[in-house]
Amino acid sequence: MGESSEPVFWKLVQVFTSLLTLAVIYLNARFGIRNKQADMIIHFDKQFDELQEKRVELLVARRELAAGVEEAWSTQRIEVEAGMFYDRFWSLQFDQFVGWYEGYVPTRLYVYWAFSRWREFHKPTDDWSIAGHTLVSTLDDLKNRWQNNPDRSSGLSTHVTRFLELMYALRQSAASADIDTLLGKCGPSWLRRTGRRMFGAY
């Protein structure tokens, strides 16, 4: 009886060891992804804060020019600076989209970011209109420039296309925006999103 039970015992030990190994691998992967998400959020927040500082600088320059302050920026400089600001702004929006698409930005957070874009599309504020540039007008300019990529098979081109689809869908949803549904259409597949949930990338 003792001899026959010994092989069973060692088989159970092997099964337990294998399961423990898999659990450690899973937890390490989940922990790594959540850490990467935290790093990406900090990175994006820092970039957005820098853009906000630049926007404040532009708004102050606009008011100083209107008030006739002697050392105010010229109209031409404000125009150039505003164009560069919106280039950086949309580049950040695209990076955030790719970060979310790849699972490095939690969906619940990206939903809020997308809603912020929708709100500014449909309820624009004067503080986001600089030298004639707005989110709507600069999005059109962005589409014209970014879609002139002949390589439609590259992953980056796919991201650009999906990102622009999402932004235009937000722009066209005047009454309200079902952002979860839009993300389902413009984001990764349902199977891929489901797999990510297992690792905390949701």
Side-chain angles (χ1 to χ4, degrees):
M1 188 73 176
E3 291 180 358
S4 62
S5 62
E6 188 171 331
V8 174
F9 171 77
W10 286 112
K11 285 182 181 178
L12 289 175
V13 169
Q14 290 174 352
V15 170
F16 176 77
T17 303
S18 299
L19 291 175
L20 182 61
T21 302
L22 289 174
V24 170
I25 292 172
Y26 166 74
L27 291 174
N28 282 339
R30 185 182 176 93
F31 183 74
I33 290 174
R34 297 306 292 270
N35 272 352
K36 181 67 173 178
Q37 285 185 334
D39 289 342
M40 291 293 284
I41 291 169
I42 292 171
H43 170 71
F44 287 140
D45 284 347
K46 182 175 181 294
Q47 286 192 311
F48 190 76
D49 287 344
E50 291 173 355
L51 280 173
Q52 290 289 69
E53 290 175 6
K54 188 63 179 179
R55 187 163 67 95
V56 168
E57 187 179 17
L58 282 163
L59 292 173
V60 170
R62 184 180 69 179
R63 291 176 185 177
E64 288 180 345
L65 180 65
V69 175
E70 185 176 348
E71 297 180 356
W73 290 0
S74 67
T75 302
Q76 292 77 11
R77 178 174 179 180
I78 294 176
E79 172 73 26
V80 171
E81 294 272 2
M84 293 177 64
F85 166 80
Y86 278 105
D87 276 349
R88 290 178 58 198
F89 173 82
W90 284 116
S91 291
L92 175 59
Q93 301 311 300
F94 177 65
D95 289 344
Q96 290 175 339
F97 173 81
V98 173
W100 166 74
Y101 192 100
E102 298 297 333
Y104 296 122
V105 172
T107 296
R108 63 185 180 278
L109 176 59
Y110 192 73
V111 166
Y112 173 75
W113 289 348
F115 173 76
S116 297
R117 302 293 77 77
W118 173 84
R119 182 175 54 198
E120 191 57 36
F121 280 142
H122 299 285
K123 299 178 181 179
T125 59
D126 185 57
D127 287 349
W128 277 95
S129 178
I130 306 169
H133 297 287
T134 63
L135 291 193
V136 171
S137 67
T138 53
L139 178 62
D140 288 337
D141 178 60
L142 188 79
K143 180 181 179 181
N144 292 333
R145 289 186 289 117
W146 282 16
Q147 283 198 330
N148 289 331
N149 182 359
D151 183 8
R152 301 297 180 188
S153 63
S154 73
L156 186 59
S157 290
T158 299
H159 285 323
V160 168
T161 300
R162 289 176 179 267
F163 169 72
L164 290 173
E165 285 176 359
L166 174 61
M167 290 300 111
Y168 272 92
L170 291 172
R171 175 176 158 178
Q172 292 166 3
S173 303
S176 62
D178 186 348
I179 295 177
D180 287 325
T181 299
L182 293 179
L183 293 184
K185 292 178 180 178
C186 301
S189 67
W190 174 85
L191 184 61
R192 191 171 179 180
R193 293 197 308 271
T194 301
R196 285 178 182 169
R197 282 183 172 272
M198 297 174 58
F199 295 93
Y202 52 86

